[in-house]
Amino acid sequence: MNARKTLQLVALILVVAVAAALSYGPIKQNAKLGLDLQGGLYVVLQAEETPDRKVTKEEMQQVQAIMEQRINGLGVAEPRIQLEGTNRLLIELAGIQDPDKAVDLIGKTAVLTFRTTDGKTVIEGKDLKEAKEALEPGSKTAIVQMTLNSEGAKKFADVTRANVGKPIGIYLDQDLLQNPTVTEPITGGQARITGYGSLEDARRIALLLNSGALPVKMDMVEKQTVGPTLGAESLDKSETAAIIGIGLIFAFMFLYYRVPGFVAIISLILYSVIVVGILTWLHATWTLPGIAGFLLSLGVAVDANVIIYERLKDELRHGKTLRTAIEDGFHRAFTTILDSNVTTLISVVVLYSLGTGPIRGFAITLGIGIVVSMFTAISFTRLLLRSAGGSGILNNKKLYGA
């Protein structure tokens, strides 16, 4: 018996076991679930276009800013609101308790008002001609420049003259956007608002000020509501399916390949810890397509082990020693595994480039899994097999399926 190799084998197994045990709690605690696993609302809004009027990028950005402002008022944790293409806006609200209220809020028309401290509306959105972000001349301070129409300029002059030293609140719907203080009467129809941390902050407020109402008519072309009960049921079924599937894979690998099968199980546990750890570190959201991508990548990792072990058995049947058979088996299997994974990665790139939402999540999970499987199947599995073969206690070729 080779004590050094035996200790190395035991140490590698213990490292994987400890890593899996220590990472389970943090990963479970920090895992983010998508709306298909915890319930929620998925909405697609599409801007109406006519041959004479095309929707601009700036208008869609205004719509996005307004929706973010409205949904923030719902208290939804980490809503996903993103533009798709040139005229669509995707909204995902995972874990929302009242989807009907959210749908009403998304579909309504916004109202922009300026109010004095006693709640009186003094300026409305129709009085505002334009608002845009800028850097104050002579400094790098971000500001918002407002231009009012003739009627609005007259109202603003009267209001600011009567409220010097007092704040005037700017509201979108019932949400206070900002509460700037009047420093002097503004009589020329031109005003500026200061107090922003960055030009991006000023730009967001300018977008909202320009959006007394949605700049284009938006149609709700898709709406999906997943109840919390259905989401929890999907999560339970996914966990059950994963446990059964992984258990069957482990049983097959151990019973059919014996020592190499046991090595594969250790490698697959390490593989799972690394992949799930990376996705958690990236703050990825787990959805049903994402889980499917992970399980598929696990199958790819198993395939790599199967290819290696079949090559190993062939080498042993040709009379080679265990050590030589392990090295030649990995050498002959490498090209096949690399070709297979490269072609799958090409598919992943295509899916990510052309897909959206859950499809991209599936592609990212599968891609990360393939890259990690190259490490675990080629490097870690080889190290374990070398340790097992060199230990002197697992040298019987029957233990390797030959």
Side-chain angles (χ1 to χ4, degrees), residues 91-102:
I91 300 175
E92 289 186 9
L93 308 178
I96 190 169
Q97 299 298 317
D98 191 349
D100 293 335
K101 180 181 177 183

Side-chain angles (χ1 to χ4, degrees), residues 185-252:
I186 300 172
T187 58
Q190 299 280 340
R192 64 184 181 89
I193 307 173
T194 60
Y196 302 103
S198 65
L199 191 62
E200 184 60 29
D201 292 341
R203 180 173 179 275
R204 176 177 166 276
I205 293 296
L207 282 173
L208 293 172
L209 290 176
N210 284 326
S211 312
L214 294 179
V216 291
K217 187 174 187 305
M218 302 295 293
D219 295 326
M220 194 175 294
V221 295
E222 186 175 350
K223 183 184 75 171
Q224 296 179 14
T225 303
V226 180
T229 304
L230 183 59
E233 186 178 338
S234 298
L235 181 61
D236 290 340
K237 288 183 176 179
S238 299
E239 289 178 345
T240 303
I243 292 171
I244 293 174
I246 293 173
L248 289 175
I249 290 173
F250 284 5
F252 170 78

Side-chain angles (χ1 to χ4, degrees), residues 274-347:
I274 294 175
V275 172
V276 177
I278 290 175
L279 292 173
T280 304
W281 177 69
L282 293 175
H283 302 291
T285 299
W286 283 96
T287 62
L288 289 175
I291 292 175
F294 171 70
L295 294 177
L296 182 57
S297 68
L298 189 67
V300 171
V302 173
D303 284 345
N305 283 276
V306 169
I307 292 171
I308 293 168
Y309 298 158
E310 289 300 324
R311 294 282 189 271
L312 170 60
K313 288 165 62 177
D314 286 343
E315 300 300 332
L316 289 173
R317 291 188 185 112
H318 283 86
K320 293 185 178 179
T321 63
L322 179 58
R323 180 178 179 182
T324 304
I326 290 173
E327 298 302 327
D328 290 351
F330 272 93
H331 180 71
R332 290 180 58 197
F334 178 76
T335 303
T336 304
I337 295 171
L338 181 62
D339 289 348
S340 173
N341 286 344
V342 168
T343 54
T344 308
L345 280 175
I346 292 173
S347 302

